[in-house]
Amino acid sequence: MISTSWIEPDTTTRPVAVIGGGVLGRRLCMMWAAAGHTVQLYEKSPEVAVAALKYIHEALPQQASKLLLGKKAGHGIGHVSPASSLETAVQNAWMVIEAIPELLPLKIELFGQLDQLAPADCILATNSSSYKSREMLEKVARRARVCNAHYYMPPEQNHLEIMTCGFTDPAIISFLLEQAAAAGFVPVHAKVESTGLIFNRIWAAIKREALLVMEEGVASAEEIDDLFKGWFQAQAGPCEMIDRVGLDTVYNIEKHYVEERGLDGKTIEWLKENYLDRGILGRKSGKGLLTEERNGAQLDNGNGHTL
């Protein structure tokens, strides 16, 4: 393992690199560009890349205006460029944000590549909530620059949780907290390593119970969300949030929790059988927990009841 003191990089002339242009990756590109940063997006799928750039083009002006009104942007509007290769995306980056699917082998391989390709002072941050960045270090030599930087759903939900990999230089944590705040995020420091970081540990319990209520036939997704919004004055309920995030992403996250904490996996297997295996992935597929009910679908909950 290489051990060196981290030196703060120049953020004014070097880009942020985002790896993955899915639901969240494209939003991260937009947010950092709105704050004046140049962003390089690397996305393997041409179709996803096109959709990501369309979203960024449409959302960027409004977010930049918000930052200007809040006096958080001082360098004008940045821009997002698609990168033709991983190497091109990260070769001069001051920070790389990994936003690929929640599959640990993919992340381990990617971080090994990033460690080889990115400049020595470049921060390597994973957006993962269900995996600690420590779990991605197998092929990484410069471990002091790796951390979790878990975003939620900007620009509507701008909280960002930052957590050490166990080896992260403390100066990186302080630096990211400052940079994130300047970019319009609300950064929070998770002070010790934790699977799920802060909010997602609480959210995971809500997700699991909401799915269990559906699986047992106690209530529908729409009824669950109506009750939740009524009690907590929330704009969205847990089932709508699951649809927004993506049922496949939720399944991968919950599967890791099941394996690590020894939880009962029956409910997520019900989710897989009734939704994922039928191509129902939430908003990204046009159908989800709520839309299936509204379309009159009858889902077998495995207990002789239907939803």
Side-chain angles (χ1 to χ4, degrees):
M1 181 178 68
I2 298 172
S3 178
T4 58
S5 295
W6 179 76
I7 299 174
E8 186 176 302
D10 181 0
T11 64
T12 62
T13 61
R14 292 166 59 182
V16 172
V18 177
I19 313 304
V23 174
L24 198 53
R26 65 191 64 177
R27 291 169 179 260
L28 304 187
C29 290
M30 184 275 295
M31 289 290 290
W32 283 102
H37 293 271
T38 298
V39 180
Q40 291 281 337
L41 168 63
Y42 178 61
E43 167 55 57
K44 288 183 178 180
S45 167
E47 294 81 7
V48 174
V50 168
L53 292 170
K54 181 177 183 294
Y55 167 81
I56 292 163
H57 176 74
E58 293 173 351
L60 184 57
Q62 184 177 5
Q63 180 61 21
S65 297
K66 288 181 183 178
L67 288 177
L68 188 60
L69 287 173
K71 298 181 180 179
K72 289 185 178 181
H75 306 290
I77 302 179
H79 66 275
V80 180
S81 301
S84 58
S85 67
L86 181 63
E87 182 176 8
T88 301
V90 308
Q91 62 186 357
N92 192 39
W94 69 265
M95 175 173 64
V96 179
I97 305 170
E98 170 271 305
I100 66 173
E102 201 74 345
L103 299 170
L104 185 57
L106 296 181
K107 294 178 186 288
I108 290 173
E109 186 64 30
L110 175 60
F111 270 84
Q113 292 177 293
L114 294 176
D115 192 43
Q116 294 292 320
L117 297 173
D121 61 351
C122 179
I123 299 165
L124 305 182
T126 174
N127 180 59
S128 178
S129 65
S130 66
Y131 289 102
K132 301 170 186 173
S133 46
R134 177 190 292 270
E135 298 177 81
M136 304 170 197
L137 299 177
E138 183 180 322
K139 300 181 179 182
V140 174
R142 298 179 180 88
R143 297 181 173 186
R145 61 184 179 148
V146 178
C147 65
N148 283 76
H150 175 54
Y151 300 79
Y152 286 88
M153 197 61 71
E156 292 85 9
Q157 174 49 272
N158 289 334
H159 282 85
L160 162 63
E161 295 181 9
I162 299 171
M163 183 177 77
T164 180
C165 73
F167 303 93
T168 313
D169 189 321
I172 286 179
I173 302 295
S174 299
F175 179 76
L176 277 184
L177 289 169
E178 293 173 2
Q179 291 294 322
F185 295 102
V186 182
V188 182
H189 182 200
K191 298 175 181 61
V192 299
E193 290 180 86
S194 170
T195 298
L197 284 80
I198 305 168
F199 180 77
N200 266 21
R201 289 185 60 167
I202 300 165
W203 165 235
I206 296 172
K207 274 190 300 186
R208 284 194 297 272
E209 201 63 29
L211 291 172
L212 184 60
V213 166
M214 289 185 65
E215 180 204 346
E216 292 179 350
V218 178
S220 69
E222 189 164 2
E223 289 167 333
I224 291 167
D225 279 14
D226 284 346
L227 283 165
F228 188 92
K229 289 186 287 186
W231 272 102
F232 298 107
Q233 300 301 301
Q235 294 182 348
C239 297
E240 182 176 346
M241 289 303 299
I242 290 171
D243 282 347
R244 288 181 185 179
V245 171
L247 275 65
D248 51 342
T249 299
V250 168
Y251 174 81
N252 289 331
I253 292 170
E254 293 302 315
K255 188 172 185 291
H256 178 54
Y257 290 151
V258 166
E259 293 168 351
E260 180 167 309
R261 297 175 178 168
L263 302 173
D264 188 344
K266 184 166 67 76
T267 298
I268 62 166
E269 291 310 313
W270 170 85
L271 179 69
K272 181 178 182 297
E273 179 181 344
N274 285 278
Y275 292 90
L276 273 64
D277 290 350
R278 297 169 58 216
I280 301 169
L281 306 178
R283 284 192 177 182
K284 68 177 76 175
S285 68
K287 293 182 179 181
L289 299 179
L290 287 167
T291 53
E292 276 298 275
E293 288 180 358
R294 289 168 183 164
N295 290 339
Q298 296 292 301
L299 300 177
D300 183 0
N301 68 359
N303 296 319
H305 300 290
T306 56
L307 294 172

PDB file of all heavy atoms in Angstrom, residues 197-216:
ATOM      1  N   LEU A 197     -24.596   4.161   6.142  1.00  0.00           N
ATOM      2  CA  LEU A 197     -24.322   5.500   6.642  1.00  0.00           C
ATOM      3  C   LEU A 197     -25.408   5.920   7.642  1.00  0.00           C
ATOM      4  O   LEU A 197     -25.794   5.115   8.484  1.00  0.00           O
ATOM      5  CB  LEU A 197     -24.151   6.495   5.483  1.00  0.00           C
ATOM      6  CG  LEU A 197     -22.804   6.401   4.743  1.00  0.00           C
ATOM      7  CD1 LEU A 197     -22.800   5.250   3.746  1.00  0.00           C
ATOM      8  CD2 LEU A 197     -22.480   7.697   4.017  1.00  0.00           C
ATOM      9  N   ILE A 198     -25.933   7.145   7.554  1.00  0.00           N
ATOM     10  CA  ILE A 198     -26.837   7.642   8.600  1.00  0.00           C
ATOM     11  C   ILE A 198     -28.306   7.433   8.228  1.00  0.00           C
ATOM     12  O   ILE A 198     -28.990   6.555   8.755  1.00  0.00           O
ATOM     13  CB  ILE A 198     -26.579   9.139   8.884  1.00  0.00           C
ATOM     14  CG1 ILE A 198     -25.106   9.368   9.222  1.00  0.00           C
ATOM     15  CG2 ILE A 198     -27.472   9.609  10.043  1.00  0.00           C
ATOM     16  CD1 ILE A 198     -24.698  10.833   9.233  1.00  0.00           C
ATOM     17  N   PHE A 199     -28.794   8.253   7.291  1.00  0.00           N
ATOM     18  CA  PHE A 199     -30.225   8.213   6.996  1.00  0.00           C
ATOM     19  C   PHE A 199     -30.652   6.882   6.414  1.00  0.00           C
ATOM     20  O   PHE A 199     -31.749   6.388   6.709  1.00  0.00           O
ATOM     21  CB  PHE A 199     -30.620   9.349   6.051  1.00  0.00           C
ATOM     22  CG  PHE A 199     -32.084   9.340   5.724  1.00  0.00           C
ATOM     23  CD1 PHE A 199     -33.012   9.809   6.642  1.00  0.00           C
ATOM     24  CD2 PHE A 199     -32.554   8.825   4.527  1.00  0.00           C
ATOM     25  CE1 PHE A 199     -34.372   9.775   6.368  1.00  0.00           C
ATOM     26  CE2 PHE A 199     -33.905   8.800   4.238  1.00  0.00           C
ATOM     27  CZ  PHE A 199     -34.814   9.275   5.153  1.00  0.00           C
ATOM     28  N   ASN A 200     -29.812   6.272   5.565  1.00  0.00           N
ATOM     29  CA  ASN A 200     -30.233   5.040   4.909  1.00  0.00           C
ATOM     30  C   ASN A 200     -30.419   3.879   5.875  1.00  0.00           C
ATOM     31  O   ASN A 200     -31.134   2.923   5.568  1.00  0.00           O
ATOM     32  CB  ASN A 200     -29.243   4.662   3.802  1.00  0.00           C
ATOM     33  CG  ASN A 200     -29.690   5.210   2.457  1.00  0.00           C
ATOM     34  OD1 ASN A 200     -30.477   6.152   2.402  1.00  0.00           O
ATOM     35  ND2 ASN A 200     -29.209   4.650   1.381  1.00  0.00           N
ATOM     36  N   ARG A 201     -29.780   3.926   7.037  1.00  0.00           N
ATOM     37  CA  ARG A 201     -30.046   2.894   8.040  1.00  0.00           C
ATOM     38  C   ARG A 201     -31.486   2.991   8.534  1.00  0.00           C
ATOM     39  O   ARG A 201     -32.160   1.986   8.751  1.00  0.00           O
ATOM     40  CB  ARG A 201     -29.065   3.035   9.203  1.00  0.00           C
ATOM     41  CG  ARG A 201     -27.647   2.641   8.847  1.00  0.00           C
ATOM     42  CD  ARG A 201     -26.726   2.676  10.030  1.00  0.00           C
ATOM     43  NE  ARG A 201     -27.160   1.766  11.092  1.00  0.00           N
ATOM     44  CZ  ARG A 201     -26.387   1.429  12.118  1.00  0.00           C
ATOM     45  NH1 ARG A 201     -25.165   1.933  12.237  1.00  0.00           N
ATOM     46  NH2 ARG A 201     -26.840   0.611  13.044  1.00  0.00           N
ATOM     47  N   ILE A 202     -31.952   4.225   8.696  1.00  0.00           N
ATOM     48  CA  ILE A 202     -33.334   4.446   9.134  1.00  0.00           C
ATOM     49  C   ILE A 202     -34.303   4.156   7.987  1.00  0.00           C
ATOM     50  O   ILE A 202     -35.323   3.492   8.154  1.00  0.00           O
ATOM     51  CB  ILE A 202     -33.493   5.898   9.632  1.00  0.00           C
ATOM     52  CG1 ILE A 202     -32.536   6.146  10.813  1.00  0.00           C
ATOM     53  CG2 ILE A 202     -34.929   6.202  10.024  1.00  0.00           C
ATOM     54  CD1 ILE A 202     -32.335   7.604  11.153  1.00  0.00           C
ATOM     55  N   TRP A 203     -33.948   4.631   6.801  1.00  0.00           N
ATOM     56  CA  TRP A 203     -34.775   4.425   5.613  1.00  0.00           C
ATOM     57  C   TRP A 203     -34.917   2.944   5.266  1.00  0.00           C
ATOM     58  O   TRP A 203     -35.978   2.490   4.842  1.00  0.00           O
ATOM     59  CB  TRP A 203     -34.164   5.220   4.465  1.00  0.00           C
ATOM     60  CG  TRP A 203     -34.631   4.904   3.082  1.00  0.00           C
ATOM     61  CD1 TRP A 203     -33.844   4.556   2.029  1.00  0.00           C
ATOM     62  CD2 TRP A 203     -35.977   4.923   2.583  1.00  0.00           C
ATOM     63  NE1 TRP A 203     -34.609   4.356   0.901  1.00  0.00           N
ATOM     64  CE2 TRP A 203     -35.921   4.574   1.210  1.00  0.00           C
ATOM     65  CE3 TRP A 203     -37.207   5.197   3.153  1.00  0.00           C
ATOM     66  CZ2 TRP A 203     -37.046   4.493   0.415  1.00  0.00           C
ATOM     67  CZ3 TRP A 203     -38.342   5.114   2.355  1.00  0.00           C
ATOM     68  CH2 TRP A 203     -38.256   4.771   1.016  1.00  0.00           C
ATOM     69  N   ALA A 204     -33.838   2.166   5.483  1.00  0.00           N
ATOM     70  CA  ALA A 204     -33.882   0.736   5.177  1.00  0.00           C
ATOM     71  C   ALA A 204     -34.961   0.029   5.980  1.00  0.00           C
ATOM     72  O   ALA A 204     -35.657  -0.859   5.472  1.00  0.00           O
ATOM     73  CB  ALA A 204     -32.519   0.095   5.436  1.00  0.00           C
ATOM     74  N   ALA A 205     -35.108   0.421   7.237  1.00  0.00           N
ATOM     75  CA  ALA A 205     -36.133  -0.191   8.085  1.00  0.00           C
ATOM     76  C   ALA A 205     -37.530   0.143   7.561  1.00  0.00           C
ATOM     77  O   ALA A 205     -38.432  -0.707   7.556  1.00  0.00           O
ATOM     78  CB  ALA A 205     -35.972   0.289   9.527  1.00  0.00           C
ATOM     79  N   ILE A 206     -37.716   1.373   7.103  1.00  0.00           N
ATOM     80  CA  ILE A 206     -39.014   1.786   6.550  1.00  0.00           C
ATOM     81  C   ILE A 206     -39.307   1.020   5.261  1.00  0.00           C
ATOM     82  O   ILE A 206     -40.415   0.518   5.046  1.00  0.00           O
ATOM     83  CB  ILE A 206     -39.021   3.306   6.294  1.00  0.00           C
ATOM     84  CG1 ILE A 206     -38.890   4.057   7.624  1.00  0.00           C
ATOM     85  CG2 ILE A 206     -40.286   3.724   5.546  1.00  0.00           C
ATOM     86  CD1 ILE A 206     -38.687   5.552   7.465  1.00  0.00           C
ATOM     87  N   LYS A 207     -38.304   0.913   4.387  1.00  0.00           N
ATOM     88  CA  LYS A 207     -38.467   0.173   3.121  1.00  0.00           C
ATOM     89  C   LYS A 207     -38.887  -1.270   3.383  1.00  0.00           C
ATOM     90  O   LYS A 207     -39.822  -1.779   2.772  1.00  0.00           O
ATOM     91  CB  LYS A 207     -37.147   0.161   2.350  1.00  0.00           C
ATOM     92  CG  LYS A 207     -36.878   1.327   1.458  1.00  0.00           C
ATOM     93  CD  LYS A 207     -35.660   1.070   0.592  1.00  0.00           C
ATOM     94  CE  LYS A 207     -34.403   0.826   1.406  1.00  0.00           C
ATOM     95  NZ  LYS A 207     -33.186   0.718   0.568  1.00  0.00           N
ATOM     96  N   ARG A 208     -38.139  -1.929   4.263  1.00  0.00           N
ATOM     97  CA  ARG A 208     -38.404  -3.353   4.521  1.00  0.00           C
ATOM     98  C   ARG A 208     -39.808  -3.558   5.060  1.00  0.00           C
ATOM     99  O   ARG A 208     -40.520  -4.483   4.660  1.00  0.00           O
ATOM    100  CB  ARG A 208     -37.367  -3.917   5.495  1.00  0.00           C
ATOM    101  CG  ARG A 208     -36.017  -4.186   4.872  1.00  0.00           C
ATOM    102  CD  ARG A 208     -35.157  -5.041   5.775  1.00  0.00           C
ATOM    103  NE  ARG A 208     -34.846  -4.391   7.039  1.00  0.00           N
ATOM    104  CZ  ARG A 208     -33.798  -3.579   7.224  1.00  0.00           C
ATOM    105  NH1 ARG A 208     -32.976  -3.329   6.219  1.00  0.00           N
ATOM    106  NH2 ARG A 208     -33.572  -3.039   8.381  1.00  0.00           N
ATOM    107  N   GLU A 209     -40.244  -2.704   5.974  1.00  0.00           N
ATOM    108  CA  GLU A 209     -41.565  -2.884   6.573  1.00  0.00           C
ATOM    109  C   GLU A 209     -42.669  -2.566   5.577  1.00  0.00           C
ATOM    110  O   GLU A 209     -43.710  -3.237   5.560  1.00  0.00           O
ATOM    111  CB  GLU A 209     -41.694  -2.011   7.822  1.00  0.00           C
ATOM    112  CG  GLU A 209     -42.767  -2.470   8.788  1.00  0.00           C
ATOM    113  CD  GLU A 209     -42.503  -3.860   9.363  1.00  0.00           C
ATOM    114  OE1 GLU A 209     -41.316  -4.258   9.489  1.00  0.00           O
ATOM    115  OE2 GLU A 209     -43.492  -4.559   9.682  1.00  0.00           O
ATOM    116  N   ALA A 210     -42.455  -1.554   4.714  1.00  0.00           N
ATOM    117  CA  ALA A 210     -43.449  -1.232   3.698  1.00  0.00           C
ATOM    118  C   ALA A 210     -43.632  -2.408   2.739  1.00  0.00           C
ATOM    119  O   ALA A 210     -44.763  -2.781   2.400  1.00  0.00           O
ATOM    120  CB  ALA A 210     -43.025   0.018   2.936  1.00  0.00           C
ATOM    121  N   LEU A 211     -42.532  -3.009   2.306  1.00  0.00           N
ATOM    122  CA  LEU A 211     -42.612  -4.161   1.405  1.00  0.00           C
ATOM    123  C   LEU A 211     -43.248  -5.359   2.098  1.00  0.00           C
ATOM    124  O   LEU A 211     -44.011  -6.117   1.488  1.00  0.00           O
ATOM    125  CB  LEU A 211     -41.217  -4.526   0.889  1.00  0.00           C
ATOM    126  CG  LEU A 211     -40.585  -3.514  -0.071  1.00  0.00           C
ATOM    127  CD1 LEU A 211     -39.138  -3.889  -0.364  1.00  0.00           C
ATOM    128  CD2 LEU A 211     -41.372  -3.408  -1.371  1.00  0.00           C
ATOM    129  N   LEU A 212     -42.963  -5.529   3.383  1.00  0.00           N
ATOM    130  CA  LEU A 212     -43.540  -6.647   4.137  1.00  0.00           C
ATOM    131  C   LEU A 212     -45.054  -6.485   4.268  1.00  0.00           C
ATOM    132  O   LEU A 212     -45.811  -7.459   4.160  1.00  0.00           O
ATOM    133  CB  LEU A 212     -42.887  -6.736   5.519  1.00  0.00           C
ATOM    134  CG  LEU A 212     -43.324  -7.913   6.406  1.00  0.00           C
ATOM    135  CD1 LEU A 212     -43.013  -9.240   5.725  1.00  0.00           C
ATOM    136  CD2 LEU A 212     -42.635  -7.830   7.770  1.00  0.00           C
ATOM    137  N   VAL A 213     -45.516  -5.255   4.496  1.00  0.00           N
ATOM    138  CA  VAL A 213     -46.950  -4.977   4.575  1.00  0.00           C
ATOM    139  C   VAL A 213     -47.625  -5.348   3.256  1.00  0.00           C
ATOM    140  O   VAL A 213     -48.717  -5.941   3.232  1.00  0.00           O
ATOM    141  CB  VAL A 213     -47.192  -3.493   4.931  1.00  0.00           C
ATOM    142  CG1 VAL A 213     -48.644  -3.099   4.675  1.00  0.00           C
ATOM    143  CG2 VAL A 213     -46.829  -3.233   6.398  1.00  0.00           C
ATOM    144  N   MET A 214     -46.965  -5.032   2.143  1.00  0.00           N
ATOM    145  CA  MET A 214     -47.512  -5.394   0.833  1.00  0.00           C
ATOM    146  C   MET A 214     -47.487  -6.905   0.630  1.00  0.00           C
ATOM    147  O   MET A 214     -48.462  -7.499   0.175  1.00  0.00           O
ATOM    148  CB  MET A 214     -46.711  -4.712  -0.278  1.00  0.00           C
ATOM    149  CG  MET A 214     -46.912  -3.218  -0.388  1.00  0.00           C
ATOM    150  SD  MET A 214     -46.022  -2.526  -1.815  1.00  0.00           S
ATOM    151  CE  MET A 214     -46.896  -3.321  -3.168  1.00  0.00           C
ATOM    152  N   GLU A 215     -46.345  -7.532   0.965  1.00  0.00           N
ATOM    153  CA  GLU A 215     -46.200  -8.969   0.761  1.00  0.00           C
ATOM    154  C   GLU A 215     -47.271  -9.755   1.521  1.00  0.00           C
ATOM    155  O   GLU A 215     -47.839 -10.726   1.014  1.00  0.00           O
ATOM    156  CB  GLU A 215     -44.810  -9.421   1.212  1.00  0.00           C
ATOM    157  CG  GLU A 215     -44.567 -10.915   1.034  1.00  0.00           C
ATOM    158  CD  GLU A 215     -43.492 -11.443   1.961  1.00  0.00           C
ATOM    159  OE1 GLU A 215     -42.750 -10.640   2.545  1.00  0.00           O
ATOM    160  OE2 GLU A 215     -43.428 -12.676   2.117  1.00  0.00           O
ATOM    161  N   GLU A 216     -47.579  -9.319   2.737  1.00  0.00           N
ATOM    162  CA  GLU A 216     -48.551 -10.033   3.573  1.00  0.00           C
ATOM    163  C   GLU A 216     -49.995  -9.699   3.191  1.00  0.00           C
ATOM    164  O   GLU A 216     -50.926 -10.286   3.745  1.00  0.00           O
ATOM    165  CB  GLU A 216     -48.307  -9.692   5.043  1.00  0.00           C
ATOM    166  CG  GLU A 216     -46.987 -10.239   5.577  1.00  0.00           C
ATOM    167  CD  GLU A 216     -46.745  -9.875   7.031  1.00  0.00           C
ATOM    168  OE1 GLU A 216     -47.519  -9.038   7.573  1.00  0.00           O
ATOM    169  OE2 GLU A 216     -45.791 -10.403   7.622  1.00  0.00           O
TER     170      GLU A 216
END
